Amino acid sequence: QLSTMGISRDSLHKRRATGGRQKAWRKGKKYELGRQSANTKLSSHVAVRKVRVRGGNSKFRALRLDHGNFSWGTEAVTRKTRILDVVYNASNNELVRTQTLVKNAIIQVDATPFKQWYQTHYGVELGNKSKTEPAAPTGSKHVLRKLKSRSQGHKLESNVSEQFNTGRLFACISSRPGQCGRCDGYILEGKELEFYVKKMQKKKSKAA
């Protein structure tokens, strides 16, 4: 074997299910090559590089990102928002410490765009910390009727509304920043949010 080996995605170097080794009976192929991981970092100095790949196609290698499109599933609304922090990663704690953005990482995003949308759509201000009563929605009678009909039977999850008080929402990355150059995802809700909150609390208690 040569001392300068490339990154390979072949299985010829692996052992068989029975434990036996396979002899190197052919050279590596172009379609088995691998490249260095992007390790996309959370940074305001955004950097995305274009990579020419097999077949003359292109991939977009995000090296540094700080924003993305995030979807609020139950409300069927998507907004572009800032990424504030990486808080949990099931595969490796090191990726949290180094603020690395990868698919399925749990992050915190700025709640402001969703807060503004909620206020215009339902006429309700979320995360109102002041003890004074929130101002009643204004507008024409038609608009007020619309807001009232939307609010009827609508209830926001308590663990989501609590997050609006802090101005940060937990979200999960569903795109692959190192492949498509974007960091998009969805707001965590319901059972999934409960699951990750428990995981993060467990991690905190272990660290303490």
Side-chain angles (χ1 to χ4, degrees):
Q1 283 188 344
L2 294 171
S3 58
T4 54
M5 285 177 67
I7 301 169
S8 176
R9 296 172 65 249
D10 71 323
S11 57
L12 288 177
H13 67 283
K14 291 194 167 185
R15 286 177 180 269
R16 292 190 177 95
T18 52
R21 275 214 170 122
Q22 199 172 357
K23 274 190 177 168
W25 57 275
R26 66 165 170 81
K27 290 184 177 179
K29 302 285 182 182
K30 172 78 173 167
Y31 57 76
E32 290 171 341
L33 72 79
R35 295 183 184 86
Q36 279 184 308
S37 57
N39 290 331
T40 310
K41 296 284 182 272
L42 175 56
S43 169
S44 55
H45 303 292
V46 175
V48 180
R49 301 280 178 266
K50 190 177 178 182
V51 181
R52 193 260 187 206
V53 296
R54 198 170 153 82
N57 298 309
S58 297
K59 281 186 181 182
F60 296 91
R61 195 74 84 234
L63 305 177
R64 294 183 295 277
L65 285 176
D66 71 336
H67 62 271
N69 291 323
F70 289 86
S71 170
W72 190 355
T74 53
E75 299 294 346
V77 65
T78 301
R79 287 288 177 270
K80 182 180 177 177
T81 184
R82 280 189 312 127
I83 300 165
L84 303 173
D85 196 10
V86 180
V87 289
Y88 183 77
N89 194 311
S91 62
N92 193 348
N93 284 337
E94 198 68 8
L95 299 177
V96 178
R97 192 183 65 80
T98 54
Q99 302 275 283
T100 306
L101 302 171
V102 292
K103 185 176 174 173
N104 256 48
I106 306 302
I107 58 174
Q108 280 187 321
V109 297
D110 185 14
T112 310
F114 297 102
K115 188 178 171 180
Q116 287 169 344
W117 173 83
Y118 200 91
Q119 191 163 5
T120 53
H121 194 74
Y122 292 108
V124 177
E125 190 184 347
L126 292 171
N128 185 18
K129 289 177 184 175
S130 61
K131 290 179 182 177
T132 55
E133 279 291 308
T138 54
S140 64
K141 285 180 182 177
H142 173 70
V143 169
L144 294 174
R145 272 203 311 274
K146 220 178 202 179
L147 294 177
K148 193 180 176 184
S149 68
R150 281 175 186 161
S151 301
Q152 278 175 348
H154 176 268
K155 195 173 183 297
L156 185 64
E157 277 183 56
S158 59
N159 49 8
V160 175
S161 63
E162 280 166 19
Q163 288 179 66
F164 278 99
N165 297 333
T166 62
R168 290 166 168 237
L169 295 172
F170 286 121
C172 180
I173 300 172
S174 57
S175 69
R176 300 169 69 197
Q179 304 288 321
C180 64
R182 299 172 68 97
C183 188
D184 301 337
Y186 57 93
I187 302 300
L188 290 178
E189 299 175 273
K191 287 271 167 63
E192 194 176 8
L193 176 59
E194 284 172 30
F195 173 82
Y196 283 114
V197 166
K198 268 183 194 168
K199 286 277 184 191
M200 283 183 272
Q201 284 170 348
K202 205 174 181 182
K203 201 174 110 180
K204 268 185 187 172
S205 60
K206 268 187 182 177

